[in-house]
Each structure stands twice: as structure tokens, then as C-alpha cells.
Amino acid sequence: MNTVIVPVDFSETSVNAAKYAAQLLTGHYGVTMFLYHSYTKPVETVNAKAALENLKTELLKETIINIETLAFEESDFVDGLEKTARHRNADLVIMGITGKSAIAQVLFGSNTLKMVQRKVCPVLIVPENTTYKPVKNVMLTSDFKNTIDSTPSAPITEFLDLVNAQLHIVNVDSEHYISLTEDYEKEKQNLKQLFKNYNPEFYFMRLYDVDEAINLFAESRNIDLIIAIQKNSSFISKMLTSSRTKALAYQSKVPIMIMHE
């Protein structure tokens, strides 16, 4: 991982996400974290650049990381962020919750969700008031279907290498409570091979209980971060569109990284 972009509008939540990102990346000298801000009027240029530099200075008081700043005049925030992520070949975008008190407000129609839908790179969503702690346990959700082709193993392993975490792979299924069928075992072995260097542990749960079950699982296993893969009819797609699962977003205090197959 080389390039991480953290958009900030200087709200409390976006600054908190920047603090989380800086602490997550501290000590990783090959990574550059870009603080990104866009504005709509040329008169804002000087103040925007000064504010970014001030935030950079504050972050460097408590972290050891290479930070650069980017301030651009853009008519559309998400278009500008997407362009910057592409031009900088970003490995990850880390975003807070802008102006809302619950992550569900981000997942259901805000700029963060729009950025997720652009499929430029993985997006790590940091819930409001999240306090950073070392990422020791990572939860990966999977539907255990076509795992070889649909699991973005390269960015997942890249992140696991960055944080040196234990991997917990949780099966979520839209149709039934999976038993240890031949197909299930085959897909499990595929995932086990993909992540053989991380000694993954495996679990499965009913999808219709996902809002409560994932929160309970995250709490019981001391999960520090959730990785969800977005694909058609997947867990994360349902989470982003189904009103039933808003409880997960409202209750979650765990950062969620969304990747695309």
C-alpha cells in the first residue's frame, strides 16, 4: 500500500477520520497519506490550503507518517475525489461521516456511498467518534460463492500485511443457513488457500439476522475492522439498500472497509 486519500471538510467527523487514518498508517514509511479538500469558489483557495496545512501539523504532533495536502476547486465533491483517486492511483480512501451522527446516514445516500459506488478503490468508512485502537482482528464477510473470482485477495492481503491482524472469515448467505455441504467446503478451502498466510478462522450465520448478528459477532470476537465485498446480491449490497439492515449501520462502532469484486 502506497497511497491513501483522506477527504476532509474540517467537520468534526472528517477530522476524526483523518486522525484515525494517521494513527492507522503511522510508522509505515512507504505510505503517503493525502489530506484532500475541495471547494467551489476561487476565493477559498488560500484558506483551504492553510487549513489543510494546519491539520497536517496537528496530525504530525502525534503520529509518524508522510502526509501531503491537496486542495482543488471542484464543482462536484465526489467527481473531484474520484479524479484525484485515479490520478494518484490510490490504494485506499478513508472517509468519515460528514454532518451526520450515524453511519447509516452515510450508507444511504451521502457522498461516502457515492464514492463507494464509483469503484475506484476500497473505501474505509470510519464511524463518528470512533477512537483508534490497533487493528488486531479483521472480519471478512463472504457469501462463499465463486470465491476465487469474486474475492479481491490482493488488496485484502495488502491491508492485512499493513496491520498484521488475525483474519476471521464469516459466511453470510441469502437463502438458507448453510450446512457443511460439498460446495461450502470447496469454497471454504478456496478461501483458506487464498489467505493461507493468515491462518483464517471460519464462521457462518443467517443473512436475515445480519444486522444484529454482525454486531454481536464483532463484539464477541473483538473485531476492530470489517471488510465487506460488494457484488450483485451480496451482503454489502443488501446492507446498502435494505431498510432491515439499517440497524447494523446505526449501531456499528467498527470501521467498515468496502471492496469490489
Side-chain angles (χ1 to χ4, degrees), residues 170-223:
V170 180
N171 169 250
V172 286
D173 185 78
S174 60
E175 298 174 357
H176 59 279
Y177 188 67
I178 288 185
S179 59
L180 296 181
T181 63
E182 184 176 339
D183 287 341
Y184 173 90
E185 187 60 32
K186 176 184 176 182
E187 299 296 348
K188 177 181 175 180
Q189 292 304 317
N190 287 340
L191 287 169
K192 194 171 184 179
Q193 181 63 26
L194 282 176
F195 301 109
K196 62 182 179 181
N197 294 331
Y198 308 94
N199 299 314
E201 298 179 2
F202 290 86
Y203 315 82
F204 52 92
M205 66 178 65
R206 289 180 175 90
L207 182 64
Y208 56 79
D209 292 330
V210 71
D211 49 356
E212 179 181 4
I214 284 185
N215 278 304
L216 290 174
F217 181 89
E219 182 177 354
S220 66
R221 297 287 174 176
N222 296 315
I223 298 299

Side-chain angles (χ1 to χ4, degrees), residues 36-182:
Y36 171 87
H37 178 71
S38 66
Y39 50 91
T40 57
K41 301 176 182 178
V43 70
E44 300 176 48
T45 303
V46 174
N47 288 340
K49 291 182 177 180
L52 283 176
E53 288 298 326
N54 289 338
L55 177 57
K56 173 182 174 179
T57 299
E58 288 299 312
L59 294 176
L60 290 176
K61 289 179 180 179
E62 299 181 0
T63 58
I64 303 173
I65 181 176
N66 182 30
I67 301 177
E68 296 187 19
T69 61
L70 299 169
F72 296 114
E73 181 183 346
E74 299 286 356
S75 58
D76 183 272
F77 169 78
V78 177
D79 286 346
L81 179 56
E82 178 188 9
K83 180 172 66 177
T84 297
R86 292 188 186 280
H87 288 182
R88 299 284 173 171
N89 196 24
D91 300 294
L92 179 65
V93 169
I94 299 179
M95 300 183 72
I97 303 167
T98 304
K100 299 295 181 180
S101 61
I103 195 172
Q105 299 303 313
V106 171
L107 294 175
F108 297 90
S110 77
N111 286 329
T112 301
L113 176 55
K114 292 176 183 176
M115 188 60 192
V116 168
Q117 294 171 333
R118 297 295 175 94
K119 302 182 181 181
V120 181
C121 63
V123 176
L124 175 57
I125 302 170
V126 181
E128 187 179 36
N129 299 323
T130 295
T131 300
Y132 175 78
K133 61 178 181 178
V135 179
K136 297 180 179 179
N137 292 287
V138 171
M139 171 183 173
L140 170 65
T141 65
S142 173
D143 59 9
F144 278 50
K145 295 176 181 177
N146 195 27
T147 51
I148 293 293
D149 292 334
S150 65
T151 304
S153 57
I156 293 173
T157 56
E158 189 175 31
F159 182 76
L160 292 174
D161 288 339
L162 181 77
V163 298
N164 192 28
Q166 170 66 47
L167 179 61
H168 304 262
I169 301 178
V170 180
N171 169 250
V172 286
D173 185 78
S174 60
E175 298 174 357
H176 59 279
Y177 188 67
I178 288 185
S179 59
L180 296 181
T181 63
E182 184 176 339

